[in-house]
Amino acid sequence: MEPPAVLMPLRRWMTSDPLTAGPSETLREVLQRMRRHRVDVLPVTLGGSVLGLVRCTDLLHRTMTEDASADLQAMARLPVADFLSDAVCVPADLTEVEALRRMRAAGVAVLCVVEGGRLIGTLSEGDLAGFLIERWTGGSARRASSRSGNQLDVLLRVARESSRSLELATILQEITRHAVAALPIDQSALLLLPAKDSPLLVVHSLYSIQEEGHPPLEELSLEGTLSGWVTLQRRSLRIDDLDREARFHDSPERFSGRMRSLVSAPLLFRDECLGVLNFWCHRPHAYLDSDLELVELIAGHISAAIQSARRVEREQRLVEELREVNRIQDEFLAVATHDLRNALQGVLAYIGILAVRAGDDPVLAELVGNLASASSGMKTLITDLHDLARLGMRAIRLHPTRLDLKKLALSVLDQHAEFAREEEVHLTWPEHEPSLFLEADPVRLRQVLSNLVSNAIKYNRPGGRVEVRWRQEDQEAVLEVWDNGVGIKPEHQEAIFDLFRRVASSSRKAEGSGLGLTITRQLVDLHGGRIELNSEVDRGSLFRVRLPLHRIPEQERAILEPLPPRPGA
Ligand code: ADP
C-alpha cells in the first residue's frame, strides 16, 4: 500500500521511553540494554538533560580493552553535533517514511532525533513501524481510528471524575473505567509515597478489569521495583515486554509474571513526586508512545486531585485543632472568671464595711469611693468575660418567658438615669407607645438593652440625646436604641461586633473592654434575632434589634449546635 501524501513530522512520534543510560550505570548494564532493544547508540541523561551519546562499538571496545568500570559520563561528553552527520541522527521535522528509509540505509534500529543541535529524543524502528501500520490501515491495527478523539474524551471524563471525589480508590476505579476506552488495560494501580522521604510506596488502590480480587500487595520498596524506578527517576516508563526487561523481571507488580506490558507515570506536583499511576496489559507490545502521553496527562489530574484532597484534610484537621484550643480556652476562662468573681464579691463586701467606717472622714471616703468604682469596673469586665466564655462553650441556655418590652425598656432607662445625668445626656422614650409582648429571656434581653443604652450614653456628648423605642413589624419585635453622639465610621461598623474591638470614634475617653457588642450580638443570635446598625460620624448611631415574637422550636436545637464561626471573631 502507498503511504499517504501528507506525512507527519517525526517530532510527533518520537519516543520518550527509557532508551537512555544513566551516568551511574555500568557499561555491562548499558550494553545489555542496547542488545535488548537492538540499538547502536544511546543518549546518556542526567536529571532529564542529555549529556551526550554513547555508541555500542565504543562501549564494547572499552570493555574489552580497559576495565569495565569506565566513566560513562565522560564517554558521553561527545558533543551531539559530532553525530549530526551520522546516519543515526535525524532532524525532528523529518517525515516518518524518510526516517524509515534512513534507518534501513544505516542498518540501525533507533534514530536520535535532533533539533537545533540538541538531542531531543529517540525513535525506534518498532515505534515507527507501529505508527506507519496504524496510519496506513486506518488505525485498525490497534484500536478504532477515532483514537485521538477517544483520548480527548477520556481526558475530559478523567478531569471531571478526579475533581468530583476526594476518595482516591473511587477516583482510580472511575479513571480506569474511562481509560479502557482508549487504552488496553488489564490492571491498574495507584501507589502513593506516604511521606516525602519514605523508602516505601504504599499501594493505595489496585483495580483489575477482568478479574475479581487481586493479589495482596500492600507495600513496595522503592529499590528494585518498577514503580520505585518511576518514583525515583520521576520519569514515565513504557515497557513493551516485561519478559525481556531484565531490570524489572522479578518486580512484584508483575503479579507472578502475568503482566507483559506496562505504562507508568509518576504523580508529580511541583517538585514533589507523590506516587505512581500504572496500567498493565497481559499481552506484550500493548502500548504506544501516545498512550504514555495520555497516562502522563491522567497522572497530572490525579496529582492535582491528591493535592486538593490532602489540602482539605489538612484544613479540616486544623479547624478541629483550633476548635479544641478554643474549647480549652473557653473552659479555662469560664472557671477562672467564676473564681475571680467570687473573690471580688468578698472584696466588694469589705469595701461596703469600709464605706460605713469611713464616716465623716473625707479623705478616707474618697479613697473608699475610688476603690468601690475600680472594683465594680473590674466586676463588669469579669462578668463579661465569664459570659463570653460560656457563650463560646454554648453553656448559656435561655430561659424564655413572656415579657413586656416596654416595661423592660423603661426599667433599663431608669437604671441608667444616674449615668446619663453625669454625662449630661438626655434619655427619652415614646411615652404613648403601648406594651409589646414577646417570648424572650428577661435577664439576657436586659443585658442586651443595657449594653446598647450605656454605649449610647458613653459615646455621646454633653447635651446629647438617647432614645429607646419599640414596635411590632409582622412577627417581629423591633427594639431601637438611637443616639446623636459621636457616630461610627463606615469601615468600623462591622468590626465593632468583633471581640475586644474598640475604635477611636470618640474624641472622649470612654471606658470599656470591647466585649459588650460581641456578647450582645451572640445573645441576640441565641434568641433567633439579628442586630442592625446605622451610623454616621458626628451625627449619631441607631442600633436596631429584631427578635421573633414567638420562639421557634428549631432555635432550641440551634443553641446546642456549634455556632457558625464569625469572621474575625
Ligand atoms: P466597649 O463599649 O466596652 O468598648 P462595645 O463592644 O460595647 O465595647 O463597643 C465596641 C466599640 O463600638 C466601642 O469601643 C465604640 O468605639 C463603638 N460603639 C459602640 N456603641 C457606640 C455608639 N452608640 N456610638 C459610637 N460608638 C459606639
Side-chain angles (χ1 to χ4, degrees):
M1 184 186 275
E2 280 299 304
V6 183
L7 297 172
M8 293 285 175
L10 276 190
R11 195 183 292 105
R12 256 201 83 191
W13 305 128
M14 226 171 51
T15 186
S16 53
D17 74 4
L19 276 183
T20 56
S24 58
E25 287 182 277
T26 63
L27 296 193
R28 181 179 290 275
E29 282 170 338
V30 177
L31 277 168
Q32 270 172 352
R33 184 158 331 124
M34 285 178 157
R35 187 179 63 84
R36 205 163 50 238
H37 291 282
R38 299 188 300 281
V39 296
D40 301 330
V41 174
L42 266 193
V44 180
T45 57
L46 180 65
S49 60
V50 178
L51 298 174
L53 306 169
V54 284
R55 220 189 299 250
C56 177
T57 45
D58 291 344
L59 294 182
L60 277 172
H61 185 72
R62 280 287 177 99
T63 19
M64 286 192 226
T65 55
E66 299 170 29
D67 67 325
S69 62
D71 183 3
L72 201 61
Q73 192 162 343
M75 289 185 73
R77 291 244 179 255
L78 284 167
V80 173
D82 286 3
F83 283 79
L84 276 176
S85 56
D86 203 314
V88 293
C89 278
V90 294
D93 54 1
L94 201 72
T95 62
E96 305 120 319
V97 173
E98 181 57 20
L100 193 61
R101 206 186 57 71
R102 295 249 190 121
M103 260 181 202
R104 296 200 59 186
V108 292
V110 157
L111 290 177
C112 299
V113 185
V114 178
E115 193 170 56
R118 281 188 55 237
L119 180 103
I120 58 169
T122 55
L123 180 86
S124 75
E125 197 177 38
D127 293 331
L128 202 48
F131 294 130
L132 289 172
I133 291 166
E134 192 178 349
R135 291 257 315 276
W136 292 337
T137 54
S140 56
R142 275 284 304 269
R143 290 177 287 276
S145 56
S146 62
R147 195 164 55 81
S148 58
N150 260 356
Q151 290 196 344
L152 262 184
D153 200 39
V154 166
L155 267 180
L156 268 176
R157 285 165 199 267
V158 162
R160 210 175 303 140
E161 235 30 89
S162 54
S163 57
R164 187 175 295 169
S165 169
L166 287 179
E167 180 49 55
L168 290 179
T170 318
I171 293 179
L172 180 73
Q173 182 161 336
E174 287 305 307
I175 282 173
T176 308
R177 205 164 60 80
H178 294 305
V180 282
L183 297 172
I185 304 173
D186 288 311
Q187 190 104 37
S188 63
L190 190 64
L191 297 96
L192 299 181
L193 271 178
K196 222 172 184 180
D197 300 317
S198 159
L200 290 172
L201 274 165
V202 172
V203 181
H204 192 278
S205 40
L206 259 174
Y207 184 61
S208 171
I209 301 281
Q210 291 103 345
E211 293 153 49
E212 281 298 311
H214 21 70
L217 190 68
E218 278 154 14
E219 281 178 348
L220 284 179
S221 85
L222 288 183
E223 285 302 322
T225 63
L226 202 145
S227 304
W229 189 91
V230 174
T231 311
L232 291 172
Q233 300 287 322
R234 293 162 175 233
R235 294 188 50 203
S236 47
L237 179 67
R238 190 194 87 201
I239 294 182
D240 286 337
D241 191 346
L242 278 155
D243 281 357
R244 295 169 140 264
E245 175 62 67
R247 270 182 309 171
F248 306 122
H249 191 272
D250 299 323
S251 202
E253 306 116 291
R254 289 199 61 198
F255 303 111
S256 341
R258 279 181 298 125
M259 300 301 161
R260 290 287 291 275
S261 35
L262 158 117
V263 267
S264 174
L267 304 171
L268 299 174
F269 193 84
R270 302 218 175 99
D271 57 347
E272 202 185 331
C273 181
L274 311 174
V276 191
L277 171 69
N278 291 337
F279 289 118
W280 286 281
C281 194
H282 285 151
R283 65 189 162 81
H285 298 279
Y287 298 108
L288 302 177
D289 277 347
S290 51
D291 295 336
L292 191 61
E293 277 166 21
L294 179 68
V295 176
E296 281 170 358
L297 289 170
I298 294 176
H301 281 291
I302 296 183
S303 313
I306 292 174
Q307 268 321 92
S308 58
R310 285 187 178 166
R311 199 170 46 235
V312 169
E313 207 180 277
R314 258 199 313 272
E315 281 167 7
Q316 276 171 350
R317 215 173 321 127
L318 208 65
V319 168
E320 284 310 315
E321 278 170 19
L322 285 178
R323 279 219 176 104
E324 182 58 12
V325 169
N326 262 349
R327 196 191 57 74
I328 293 170
Q329 276 179 354
D330 283 339
E331 226 170 75
F332 168 77
L333 198 61
V335 172
T337 47
H338 177 265
D339 291 354
L340 275 172
R341 206 170 46 174
N342 282 351
L344 199 62
Q345 213 60 50
V347 174
L348 283 169
Y350 285 121
I351 290 174
I353 298 169
L354 273 181
V356 176
R357 290 275 174 96
D360 299 333
D361 184 339
V363 179
L364 200 57
E366 193 186 336
L367 277 178
V368 174
N370 289 345
L371 197 59
S373 125
S375 305
S376 89
M378 208 190 297
K379 189 182 168 195
T380 312
L381 176 63
I382 290 173
T383 308
D384 279 355
L385 281 170
H386 187 68
D387 280 349
L388 206 69
R390 292 189 65 221
L391 278 165
M393 291 161 63
R394 277 161 279 285
I396 287 195
R397 299 295 308 266
L398 295 184
H399 301 286
T401 55
R402 194 172 129 83
L403 66 89
D404 179 0
L405 208 49
K406 179 176 181 177
K407 210 165 146 195
L408 181 80
L410 295 185
S411 150
V412 170
L413 283 167
D414 187 49
Q415 201 187 322
H416 286 81
E418 178 61 29
F419 180 34
R421 239 189 323 277
E422 280 167 16
E423 298 290 310
E424 296 170 52
V425 170
H426 190 53
L427 298 183
T428 59
W429 61 94
E431 281 175 25
H432 302 295
E433 191 68 43
S435 287
L436 173 60
F437 289 92
L438 83 156
E439 272 178 76
D441 184 317
V443 175
R444 294 305 175 184
L445 199 54
R446 172 181 289 274
Q447 197 175 343
V448 167
L449 189 55
S450 288
N451 185 42
L452 295 180
V453 170
S454 90
N455 278 351
I457 301 170
K458 240 187 334 183
Y459 303 107
N460 216 316
R461 294 165 285 221
R465 229 156 54 83
V466 171
E467 182 164 296
V468 176
R469 28 190 202 237
W470 57 93
R471 64 177 182 277
Q472 182 176 344
E473 273 182 21
D474 298 326
Q475 286 305 299
E476 281 180 342
V478 179
L479 180 64
E480 288 180 348
V481 179
W482 169 89
D483 69 73
N484 61 352
V486 296
I488 303 157
K489 286 185 188 163
E491 62 268 30
H492 293 148
Q493 289 182 13
E494 182 55 36
I496 54 164
F497 292 97
D498 293 344
L499 212 49
F500 302 116
R501 194 60 75 97
R502 310 197 67 225
V503 290
S505 60
S506 165
S507 52
R508 313 172 58 225
K509 278 199 171 148
E511 285 189 7
S513 61
L515 296 176
L517 285 179
T518 311
I519 295 173
T520 299
R521 173 138 89 175
Q522 292 197 21
L523 288 176
V524 172
D525 276 352
L526 271 187
H527 277 88
R530 60 195 185 282
I531 187 161
E532 299 159 357
L533 167 63
N534 286 323
S535 184
E536 228 177 290
V537 174
D538 282 339
R539 302 205 54 178
S541 311
L542 173 68
F543 285 85
R544 183 181 298 118
V545 176
R546 295 181 175 277
L547 297 164
L549 284 182
H550 305 286
R551 282 188 63 74
I552 312 157
E554 275 85 344
Q555 280 164 225
E556 292 292 346
R557 261 181 279 132
I559 294 169
L560 302 175
E561 302 287 335
L563 286 175
R566 203 184 292 298

